[in-house]
Amino acid sequence: MNDISRDIDPALIDRFAAIVGDKYALRDQQDIAPYLTERRGLWHGRTALVLRPGSVDEVSRIMQLATETGTPVVPQSGNTGLVGAQVPDMSGREIVLSLSRLNRIREIDVLSNTVTVEAGVILQTLQEAADAADRLFPLSLAAQGSCQIGGNLSSNAGGTGVLAYGNARELCLGVEVVLPTGEVFDDLRKLKKDNTGYDLKNLFIGAEGTLGVITAAVLKLFPKPKGREVAFAGLSSPEAALSLFSLAMDRAGAALTAFELIGQRPYDFTLLHAPGVVRPLSGDWPWYVLMQISSGRSAQDARILIEEVLSAGLEQEIVGDAVIAASIAQGDAFWNFRELLPEAQKPEGASIKHDISVPVAAIPQFIEKAAGAVQAVSPRAREVCFGHMGDGNLHYNISRPIGGDDEAFLRLYHAMNKAVHDVVRSLHGSISAEHGIGQLKRDELIATAPPMAIELMRRVKTAFDPAGIMNSGKVI
């Protein structure tokens, strides 16, 4: 056993391990290593123990013992988060609680359009199960092949379907949560309307594991669209993209299920670095839009709507060029292009990332002001802007200057964050649209949020976790 075991009493480690059995109590540091680093490598932690419970009762007993002994616990799902909420600290005193074995789909209720799932179910697995039942689960993320439902709910995940279907919070009807004391809050209800007091489930959704451990949830399903059309358009400016969005909303309404904005730089990075991608448009444009229209009536209806939108856009000179996917495979290829944007930035060196939201109408103003703010901090830095324009959420990433030094650029992280986030706040936006707060934005949240908001969050935290053992040092 590694020397890190000295950070927690070995006898206590044995007591925790006895709850799940030695097979599911990881003590060897080689086995533990994948749980200690988040995907971008910004945070690294230490622990002597990773517990992988297989039932709600085991989670309850773990939390009882943790409260009894004052042992800090870090819940972890697929370890795909981008703000460090799922990583233990460097003290070695925290234990990691992995939910990956709680991976059953308990029920699909087609008549109620609901699915009851455990926290460790992989998002793509849920999407496929819904599809097999002739239903749609619309939450869609780049990490859907490995992220898990518990983490999606704990971070209030967004993704490309928020415009039409809402984020994780809006897709959830009920939760099952193990509290820090080990008590189980069973609120697995399928009701769309329930006005019996406080909406307690929403305290845990987006709380990033600081109030309890989500072990299961009831989620909404939707009828599968009968027609889906995907188009790529080239435009001259963010203002033109905003005009196209307005036009699409007017003509298609609720059938507009995605509207993604892509700057020329991330578009070019993807063509350069992503294997196997095909150029969606023959010419180059300063900005691009990936648009999807889904019809509940027919494939013909979806085709008519998207053609109407793009024809009007071309006639009004909002759109410079556009192509509608000629097949399901080409539509999937367009989406694959979009999902490869974050990975394609990596070969360009160090980057400073922002997950922001502003009112949709303010997106062009944000892009213009933020570019000036970035250049004031690092004159040759490269703005990499893309995101979910339809719901006001942009991933505004900054790549280091060409030929620049990665470490020197990353030393500008806080200065760059402040510059960009100052612009966000001036437009009444949010510094965290869908990735959460975690460790990355905790200090900035505390420094810039209304003092009363922080005080109320602290009161809630104290009420649910008086011993302070739940994912300490995260969010607040």
Side-chain angles (χ1 to χ4, degrees):
M1 187 179 296
N2 193 289
D3 286 344
I4 196 173
S5 64
R6 298 173 185 170
D7 295 315
I8 305 177
D9 183 349
L12 180 56
I13 292 176
D14 289 341
R15 292 177 67 188
F16 277 114
I19 295 173
V20 299
D22 286 337
K23 180 178 178 180
Y24 300 112
L26 308 182
R27 310 191 202 200
D28 185 275
Q29 286 300 303
Q30 194 168 9
D31 296 332
I32 286 173
Y35 299 85
L36 302 182
T37 304
E38 55 85 49
R39 62 189 300 180
R40 291 193 303 202
L42 295 178
W43 289 278
H44 307 272
R46 298 169 68 244
T47 188
L49 183 64
V50 174
L51 296 174
R52 301 182 62 231
S55 68
V56 176
D57 178 66
E58 289 181 355
V59 177
S60 174
R61 289 162 59 197
I62 289 167
M63 294 314 305
Q64 287 177 22
L65 181 57
T67 293
E68 174 192 328
T69 58
T71 305
V73 174
V74 178
Q76 188 178 112
S77 289
N79 195 16
T80 61
L82 298 175
V83 293
Q86 75 278 22
V87 179
D89 63 23
M90 291 298 294
S91 71
R93 294 188 57 251
E94 298 181 324
I95 63 172
V96 173
L97 179 64
S98 168
L99 280 300
S100 59
R101 289 182 62 222
L102 294 177
N103 59 4
R104 290 187 304 128
I105 296 176
R106 295 182 184 176
E107 179 195 43
I108 294 180
D109 184 341
V110 173
L111 292 178
S112 296
N113 275 318
T114 63
V115 58
T116 304
V117 296
E118 294 181 341
V121 171
I122 292 172
L123 175 55
Q124 186 171 320
T125 301
L126 173 54
Q127 293 168 341
E128 292 168 353
D131 184 69
D134 198 32
R135 289 294 183 267
L136 170 72
F137 183 66
L139 186 64
S140 182
L141 313 170
Q144 61 195 30
S146 53
C147 66
Q148 297 169 11
I149 295 301
N152 297 152
L153 292 171
S154 291
S155 61
N156 190 26
T160 56
V162 172
L163 172 62
Y165 300 102
N167 54 20
R169 175 173 278 117
E170 293 170 278
L171 294 173
C172 183
L173 294 172
V175 293
E176 175 186 79
V177 179
V178 176
L179 302 178
T181 57
E183 298 165 288
V184 178
F185 171 53
D186 185 346
D187 190 39
L188 292 176
R189 294 184 287 179
K190 304 176 182 179
L191 304 177
K192 292 186 177 180
K193 300 178 76 172
D194 180 7
N195 277 344
T196 53
Y198 303 138
D199 190 348
L200 295 173
K201 72 177 182 296
N202 276 322
L203 288 172
F204 301 100
I205 299 171
E208 302 181 51
T210 60
L211 301 180
V213 182
I214 295 174
T215 51
V218 176
L219 304 171
K220 296 178 185 177
L221 297 178
F222 297 84
K224 289 169 63 176
K226 293 181 172 61
R228 182 193 78 153
E229 295 290 343
V230 184
F232 231 102
L235 307 99
S236 61
S237 67
E239 288 82 3
L242 183 60
S243 295
L244 179 61
F245 176 68
S246 178
L247 176 63
M249 288 294 292
D250 286 344
R251 302 294 178 94
L256 180 65
T257 51
F259 196 93
E260 299 287 302
L261 180 68
I262 303 169
Q264 183 174 7
R265 186 168 281 121
Y267 180 91
D268 290 345
F269 284 175
T270 302
L271 290 177
L272 182 62
H273 298 301
V277 298
V278 176
R279 179 183 290 272
L281 294 172
S282 58
D284 293 326
W285 294 89
W287 293 89
Y288 300 87
V289 161
L290 172 63
M291 179 171 57
Q292 177 173 293
I293 287 179
S294 305
S295 172
R297 291 184 287 188
S298 67
Q300 182 183 17
D301 182 55
R303 186 75 180 192
I304 290 171
L305 282 173
I306 204 162
E307 287 179 347
E308 182 181 334
V309 169
L310 292 174
S311 294
L314 288 163
E315 288 171 8
Q316 297 174 30
E317 298 184 346
I318 295 169
V319 176
D321 189 16
V323 59
I324 301 172
S327 63
I328 292 174
Q330 188 177 23
D332 290 343
F334 286 173
W335 274 113
N336 183 58
F337 190 102
R338 162 63 183 88
E339 289 166 0
L340 289 171
L341 296 177
E343 290 297 316
Q345 189 183 359
K346 288 183 178 179
E348 295 292 326
S351 65
I352 298 173
K353 301 184 184 296
H354 307 88
D355 163 44
I356 65 93
S357 63
V358 295
V360 174
I363 283 179
Q365 188 179 2
F366 165 77
I367 291 172
E368 180 182 359
K369 287 187 172 183
V374 166
Q375 293 304 308
V377 175
S378 178
R380 295 186 299 115
R382 296 170 290 167
E383 298 90 5
V384 181
C385 180
F386 60 92
H388 321 300
M389 184 174 186
D391 58 46
N393 172 203
L394 295 178
H395 300 296
Y396 194 76
N397 303 336
I398 315 299
S399 282
R400 64 153 170 78
I402 294 174
D405 178 73
D406 283 354
E407 291 187 10
F409 184 66
L410 290 176
R411 285 197 289 270
L412 299 175
Y413 217 111
H414 294 298
M416 191 71 78
N417 281 171
K418 183 180 186 307
V420 172
H421 291 163
D422 282 350
V423 175
V424 171
R425 280 187 284 269
S426 75
L427 297 172
H428 307 288
S430 169
I431 65 171
S432 179
E434 63 179 1
H435 292 164
I437 298 297
Q439 301 177 64
L440 178 65
K441 302 178 183 179
R442 177 196 61 209
D443 294 342
E444 185 174 6
L445 174 68
I446 293 170
T448 61
M452 194 64 220
I454 298 298
E455 174 60 24
L456 288 174
M457 283 192 273
R458 283 177 170 152
R459 291 181 194 178
V460 171
K461 169 71 171 172
T462 300
F464 279 89
D465 183 23
I469 63 168
M470 288 301 307
N471 217 9
S472 57
K474 317 294 173 53
V475 184
I476 57 171

